[in-house]
């Protein structure tokens, strides 16, 4: 029923647009110059006042109606539902709804049939009621709008403000989603920190959540807070990120310089999209590339020097991750280097500077803020990257800075904590939220830090 | 006054320079210069003598090739891929398009000031020190400081900025920025300074200051200036060349060009009938 109403409203919107337009011309007898706003704005005005109140009512109805119906049904079939547990009540209502509106029913009994009848009649009532309310709102809005259309009416201002409201609404969705995610991270983490002291988590050096439970079987109730030390994970994350940046920063930056200042136009036209394709390769592909090609190669290479190399090593994961983030560095840096005005390059060349001197001393300093933010974006990507490290870096929480050993990262541990059948309120599962929060704090701090650095050292060219 | 490295070199070569019929040494000589941008020909066989210690103004309507010609004189056109230059341009008896010539060295000898002030996003000091640094002109920090101070003085900017040399050059006013760019060009002790409409982005007061400066610089440097303003050409230059549709129509004493032009097109242009 929602969609029927919705499409009716859209049709009304279109019709109202046309009617408003012709109505506005009608009130001035076709004399355009007598109108404050052009006819199109009057059309928009009429459409908005006609449709938007009804649309809001419709959305509220869709959200609220099922709850109200559930409550009414529950109270009217209370004698069938007495003594049922909460999940059983939900199952009862679900089956009743399925009986009423079609769907898969668990099993049928008299109580559910009774409830289904109530659902059916309620639903009919609600649909009719909603139809009436919407018709009233549409009609009211329409007549108000038609009466308001006058030569001096400021329809343009109204429409412009409505557009702004729509834009604000959309950005609010993005902002509130972010806030919601952060809040849920914080609250779940707080539950975790009730079981494991925050200091043990942030500064602990032992990570082994599989042995979190004290006792065995059904007696395993206590939580051993000693095994939730996040430091090994952080060290692993940092090590791999560091290796990745060591690969991506020089390769990305230098290729950006080549592309922007040295490459001929045809080369650039081919090479830049090619580089950007790297960003389009799914990370899981990089992952098995790392695990199946790079890691064995590094192990073989290391053993030929007599080094002990684990078959899942930080080096393999880091190098492949570095390759993955090259396009972030190169593409963004290329853009900012290109944005440095040609006049600065000319000025430098006019003083007898060579191309490389110009780039080193004029172009790069001017492009520095953009380059730093490209690097920061790449680092954030590397820190949050999961698939490559799951496959290539291993699961062992070794605290080491030897790139030839297996390490694990924050993201990998979040995956292993949440994959499979888990109790949601155990310390083990909640630890994932705490790790997520930690990761979020680190990338946030990194961003703030980078912004400050950029502000301090930027050379502003306009 | 202390002799800078550039001046000494200039003095040594003086004897060898060819002279014009009225006895002025010729610093740069263009011989049948043509320029193509891809298929389109922008300059047709330009012959021009640039006289030493003179200001030569290049005038003409938009698109006449005067800026193109100017950019040939220190090979700035090299940075444009599709640009081809033909003919011969001689600086002190050397063909600057000879493969043996080092463009970097050439541009140190033939400096350039651009239409829009383009100070680097660095401090005032670093802007001026840029050229001396890349060419290794200063032995020590005090040498460098002296070069910077002298250059700023010559550009008439020193008094205005001496207390804030470490502030960004981009924070100066438009006229100050342009004088900073001139100081920056002077700092590498060029022999010739090319100016591409140096005042077109400036207000009248800043323009007057820069024009005054150009006149002072004439003593030590050979200057070629492209300008849209005929009044400016008349005020600052000794020689004027009129370009039209890629041809050099007429060249002569500024006074003669403006009072007694030989060519009808020049006459029409300076009296405002076109352009």
């Amino acid at each position: 029923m929602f969609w029927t109403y919705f499409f009716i409203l859209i049709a009304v919107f279109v019709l109202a647009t046309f009617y408003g337009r012709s109505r506005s011309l009608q009130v001035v007898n076709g004399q355009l110059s007598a109108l404050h706003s052009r006819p199109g704005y009057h059309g928009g005005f009429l459409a908005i006042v006609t449709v938007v109140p009804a649309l809001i009512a419709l959305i509220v109805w869709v959200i609220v109606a099922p709850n109200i119906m559930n409550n009414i049904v529950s109270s009217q079939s209370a004698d069938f539902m007495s003594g049922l547990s909460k999940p059983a009540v939900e199952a009862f209502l679900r089956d009743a709804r399925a009986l009423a509106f079609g769907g898969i029913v668990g099993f049928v009994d008299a109580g559910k049939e009774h409830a289904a009848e109530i659902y059916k009649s309620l639903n009919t009532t609600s649909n009719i009621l909603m139809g009436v309310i919407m018709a009233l709102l549409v009609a009211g809005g329409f007549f108000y709008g038609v009466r308001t259309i006058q030569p001096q009416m400021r329809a343009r201002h109204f429409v412009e403000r409505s557009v702004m409201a729509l834009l604000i609404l959309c950005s609010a969705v993005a902002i509130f989603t972010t806030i919601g995610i952060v809040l849920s991270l914080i609250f779940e983490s707080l539950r975790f920190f009730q079981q494991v002291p925050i200091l043990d988590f942030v500064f602990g050096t032992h990570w082994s959540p599989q042995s979190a439970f004290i006792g065995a079987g059904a007696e395993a109730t206590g939580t051993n807070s000693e095994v939730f030390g996040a430091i090994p994970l952080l060290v692993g994350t940092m090590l791999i990120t560091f290796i990745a940046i060591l690969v991506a920063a020089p390769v990305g930056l230098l290729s950006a310089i080549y592309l922007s200042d040295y490459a001929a136009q045809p080369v650039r036209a081919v090479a830049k999209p090619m580089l950007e394709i790297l960003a389009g390769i799914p990370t899981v592909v990089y992952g098995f590339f790392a695990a199946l090609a790079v890691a064995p190669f590094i192990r073989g290479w290391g053993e030929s020097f007599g080094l002990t190399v684990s078959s899942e090593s930080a080096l393999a994961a880091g190098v492949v991750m570095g390759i993955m983030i090259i396009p972030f560095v190169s593409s963004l840096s290329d853009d900012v280097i290109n944005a440095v005005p040609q006049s600065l390059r000319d000025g430098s060349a006019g003083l007898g500077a060579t191309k490389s001197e110009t780039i080193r001393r004029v172009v790069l300093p001017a492009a520095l803020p953009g380059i730093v933010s490209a690097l920061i974006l790449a680092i954030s990507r590397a820190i949050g990257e999961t698939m490559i490290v799951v496959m290539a870096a291993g699961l062992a929480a070794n605290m080491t800075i030897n790139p030839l050993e297996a390490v694990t990262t924050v993201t990998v541990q979040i995956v292993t904590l949440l994959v499979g059948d888990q109790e949601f309120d155990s310390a083990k599962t909640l630890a994932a939220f705490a790790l997520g929060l930690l990761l979020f704090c680190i990338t946030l701090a990194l961003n703030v830090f980078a912004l400050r650095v950029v502000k301090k050292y930027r050379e502003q060219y306009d | 006054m202390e002799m800078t490295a550039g001046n000494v070199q200039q003095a040594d070569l003086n004897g060898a320079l060819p002279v014009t019929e009225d006895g002025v040494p010729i610093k740069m000589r263009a011989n049948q210069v043509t320029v193509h941008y891809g298929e389109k020909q922008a300059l047709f066989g330009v012959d021009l003598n640039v006289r030493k210690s003179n200001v030569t103004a290049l005038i003409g309507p938009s698109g006449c090739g005067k800026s193109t010609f100017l950019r040939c004189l220190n090979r700035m056109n090299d940075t444009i891929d599709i640009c081809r230059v033909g003919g011969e341009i001689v600086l002190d008896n050397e063909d600057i398009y000879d493969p043996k010539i080092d463009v970097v060295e050439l541009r140190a000898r033939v400096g350039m000031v651009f239409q829009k002030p383009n100070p680097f996003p660095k401090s005032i000091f670093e802007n001026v020190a840029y050229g001396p640094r890349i060419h290794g002109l200063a032995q020590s920090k005090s040498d460098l400081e002296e070069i910077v101070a002298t250059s700023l003085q010559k550009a008439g900017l020193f008094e205005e900025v001496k207390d804030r040399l470490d502030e960004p050059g981009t924070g100066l006013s438009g006229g100050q920025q342009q004088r900073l760019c001139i100081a920056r060009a002077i700092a590498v002790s060029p022999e010739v300074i090319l100016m591409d409409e140096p005042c077109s982005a400036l207000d009248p007061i800043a323009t007057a200051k820069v024009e005054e400066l150009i006149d002072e610089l004439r003593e030590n440097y050979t200057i070629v200036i492209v300008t849209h303003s005929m009044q400016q050409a008349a005020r600052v230059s000794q020689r004027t060349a009129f370009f039209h549709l890629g041809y050099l129509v007429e060249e002569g004493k500024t006074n003669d060009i403006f009072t007694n032009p030989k060519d009808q097109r020049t006459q029409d242009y300076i009296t405002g009938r076109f352009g």
Side-chain angles (χ1 to χ4, degrees):
Chain A
M1 213 53 202
F2 169 77
W3 290 108
T4 318
Y5 285 141
F6 184 74
F7 285 116
I8 290 175
L9 281 182
I10 289 192
V12 170
F13 189 91
V14 174
L15 290 177
T17 309
F18 284 112
Y19 183 72
R21 182 197 290 265
S22 61
R23 170 76 192 169
S24 66
L25 283 171
Q26 201 186 323
V27 292
V28 291
N29 297 323
Q31 264 195 306
L32 255 185
S33 55
L35 278 175
H36 168 269
S37 307
R38 303 222 329 272
Y41 285 109
H42 286 280
F45 165 76
L46 186 61
I48 290 169
V49 294
T50 308
V51 168
V52 169
L55 188 66
I56 293 172
L58 182 64
I59 291 169
V60 171
W61 172 66
V62 164
I63 296 169
V64 174
N67 280 329
I68 295 177
M69 288 204 291
N70 284 348
N71 285 341
I72 296 175
V73 172
S74 304
S75 63
Q76 291 194 2
S77 19
D79 38 339
F80 293 102
M81 284 163 41
S82 60
L84 289 178
S85 64
K86 198 179 171 226
V89 169
E90 277 169 16
F92 177 90
L93 291 175
R94 196 162 52 237
D95 278 352
R97 276 200 302 274
L99 269 179
F101 310 127
I104 298 166
V105 185
F107 62 94
V108 185
D109 60 23
K112 285 176 185 170
E113 279 175 349
H114 169 73
E117 284 307 312
I118 305 174
Y119 263 123
K120 268 188 191 158
S121 70
L122 273 181
N123 191 44
T124 319
T125 324
S126 137
N127 280 341
I128 292 170
L129 190 65
M130 194 55 215
V132 172
I133 291 176
M134 279 175 45
L136 286 176
L137 283 172
V138 166
F142 182 76
F143 285 115
Y144 167 74
V146 170
R147 276 190 38 198
T148 317
I149 291 180
Q150 293 297 330
Q152 283 314 308
M153 211 270 293
R154 307 195 156 203
R156 172 158 45 84
H157 298 203
F158 180 83
V159 173
E160 292 292 326
R161 251 179 255 134
S162 306
V163 169
M164 191 181 77
L166 183 70
L167 299 182
I168 290 176
L169 192 73
C170 289
S171 33
V173 167
I175 292 169
F176 284 116
T177 314
T178 315
I179 293 177
I181 290 174
V182 173
L183 284 182
S184 95
L185 270 183
I186 290 175
F187 285 120
E188 299 298 338
S189 303
L190 284 179
R191 285 176 65 191
F192 173 72
F193 292 135
Q194 279 164 6
Q195 301 182 28
V196 176
I198 185 163
L199 292 180
D200 283 4
F201 173 71
V202 178
F203 296 110
T205 55
H206 181 61
W207 177 266
S208 156
Q210 309 306 329
S211 51
F213 303 106
I214 299 166
E219 289 136 40
T221 47
T223 301
N224 180 2
S225 68
E226 305 283 290
V227 298
F228 286 106
I231 291 286
L233 310 186
L234 287 181
V235 172
T237 303
M238 293 302 154
L239 178 63
I240 290 180
T241 306
F242 181 70
I243 296 170
I245 286 299
L246 229 48
V247 172
V251 176
L253 195 53
L254 296 182
S255 63
I257 292 172
Y258 170 73
L259 281 181
S260 63
D261 278 50
Y262 287 89
Q265 192 50 44
V267 178
R268 188 184 148 80
V270 176
K272 199 171 180 200
M274 293 279 279
L275 257 178
E276 280 163 2
I277 286 176
L278 271 184
I281 297 176
T283 55
V284 66
V285 175
Y286 281 112
F288 63 69
F289 175 63
L292 302 181
V294 178
F297 171 77
I298 288 176
R299 190 185 52 200
W301 169 82
E303 276 167 357
S304 67
F305 286 98
L307 296 167
T308 326
V309 184
S310 136
S311 52
E312 291 179 320
S313 64
L315 187 60
V319 167
V320 174
M321 197 189 276
I323 293 170
M324 182 196 83
I325 58 178
I326 284 174
F328 287 88
V329 180
S330 72
S331 197
L332 291 172
S333 306
D334 178 53
D335 289 343
V336 292
I337 290 174
N338 262 326
V340 174
Q342 182 64 30
S343 69
L344 290 184
R345 292 186 173 86
D346 284 349
S348 176
L351 291 169
T354 63
K355 204 159 193 174
S356 73
E357 282 168 339
T358 302
I359 288 165
R360 256 184 304 135
R361 289 163 178 263
V362 175
V363 177
L364 287 186
L368 187 71
I371 291 173
V372 171
S373 45
L375 284 177
I376 293 299
L377 187 70
I379 291 175
S380 307
R381 261 312 288 254
I383 289 179
E385 170 51 37
T386 314
M387 227 44 233
I388 295 175
V389 275
V390 166
M391 291 180 167
L395 295 172
N398 295 327
M399 195 157 79
T400 175
I401 52 164
N402 178 358
L404 302 178
E405 276 185 51
V407 297
T408 192
T409 67
V410 176
T411 50
V412 170
Q413 288 308 314
I414 292 177
V415 171
T416 53
L417 289 172
L418 291 183
V419 168
D421 297 334
Q422 305 284 355
E423 254 187 292
F424 191 69
D425 51 357
S426 76
K428 212 178 120 192
T429 328
L430 291 172
F433 286 96
L435 285 178
L437 185 66
L438 192 64
L439 209 54
F440 173 75
C441 291
I442 291 172
T443 34
L444 188 70
L446 208 64
N447 278 308
V448 172
F449 172 72
L451 279 180
R452 294 191 64 127
V453 169
V454 166
K455 220 172 195 172
K456 188 161 177 201
Y457 292 105
R458 75 183 312 177
E459 292 190 342
Q460 215 161 0
Y461 53 76
D462 48 18
Chain B
M1 198 197 96
E2 208 184 12
M3 293 274 262
T4 59
N7 285 343
V8 172
Q9 198 180 8
Q10 215 171 313
D12 287 344
L13 288 164
N14 262 355
L17 286 183
V19 294
T20 56
E21 61 274 20
D22 47 348
V24 182
I26 298 173
K27 187 67 189 169
M28 293 190 87
R29 186 161 50 80
N31 191 6
Q32 287 299 306
V33 173
T34 59
V35 173
H36 287 80
Y37 289 116
E39 292 299 302
K40 189 175 168 289
Q41 186 160 6
L43 277 186
F44 300 85
V46 173
D47 292 312
L48 181 71
N49 291 332
V50 176
R51 292 157 182 241
K52 190 169 183 303
S53 295
N54 270 267
V55 177
T56 306
L58 311 182
I59 61 168
S62 297
C64 67
K66 55 192 191 305
S67 285
T68 299
F69 178 72
L70 188 79
R71 290 169 67 91
C72 289
L73 295 179
N74 71 343
R75 294 182 59 176
M76 280 304 280
N77 282 334
D78 289 15
T79 57
I80 300 166
D81 289 336
I82 55 164
C83 178
R84 281 180 296 121
V85 180
E88 187 189 39
I89 297 177
V90 176
L91 169 68
D92 290 350
N93 298 324
E94 274 179 297
D95 182 358
I96 64 170
Y97 280 89
D98 189 311
K100 289 202 295 280
I101 286 284
D102 181 0
V103 184
V104 166
E105 196 198 334
L106 168 73
R107 291 190 190 139
R109 289 172 65 190
V110 184
M112 190 153 194
V113 175
F114 296 84
Q115 185 168 2
K116 200 169 155 260
N118 57 349
F120 301 132
K122 301 174 182 295
S123 71
I124 294 171
F125 183 89
E126 284 301 321
N127 260 284
V128 183
Y130 183 82
R133 270 193 217 277
I134 58 176
H135 295 296
L137 296 184
Q139 305 301 326
S140 63
K141 195 157 184 297
S142 58
D143 267 7
L144 189 64
E145 279 165 4
E146 186 168 336
I147 294 177
V148 170
T150 320
S151 309
L152 284 171
Q153 265 154 8
K154 284 189 197 162
L157 191 61
F158 188 69
E159 288 305 315
E160 290 162 61
V161 300
K162 64 181 174 192
D163 299 324
R164 45 177 177 145
L165 288 177
D166 52 353
E167 283 176 26
T170 43
L172 296 174
S173 74
Q176 288 174 325
Q177 285 189 11
Q178 194 61 298
R179 279 181 285 148
L180 178 63
C181 292
I182 293 174
R184 190 174 72 183
I186 294 172
V188 290
S189 306
E191 299 155 33
V192 182
I193 301 177
L194 310 176
M195 299 186 175
D196 190 354
E197 297 181 39
C199 301
S200 64
L202 305 183
D203 66 54
I205 294 169
T207 301
K209 280 198 172 154
V210 172
E211 285 179 0
E212 202 179 312
L213 170 62
I214 291 171
D215 201 50
E216 284 165 20
L217 292 175
R218 178 163 67 92
E219 195 181 323
N220 296 310
Y221 306 92
T222 304
I223 293 172
V224 185
I225 178 173
V226 164
T227 176
H228 258 123
S229 151
M230 280 172 284
Q231 291 86 342
Q232 182 173 66
R235 283 193 299 263
V236 300
S237 70
Q238 287 73 50
R239 307 287 299 187
T240 296
F242 172 63
F243 282 73
H244 185 45
L245 298 175
Y247 292 92
L248 173 61
V249 175
E250 190 172 353
E251 192 267 349
K253 274 189 188 157
T254 298
N255 226 358
D256 293 347
I257 294 281
F258 281 102
T259 54
N260 189 18
K262 294 191 189 71
D263 195 286
Q264 184 59 39
R265 287 168 292 179
T266 318
Q267 169 83 35
D268 290 348
Y269 182 67
I270 61 172
T271 52
R273 246 167 253 162
F274 74 93

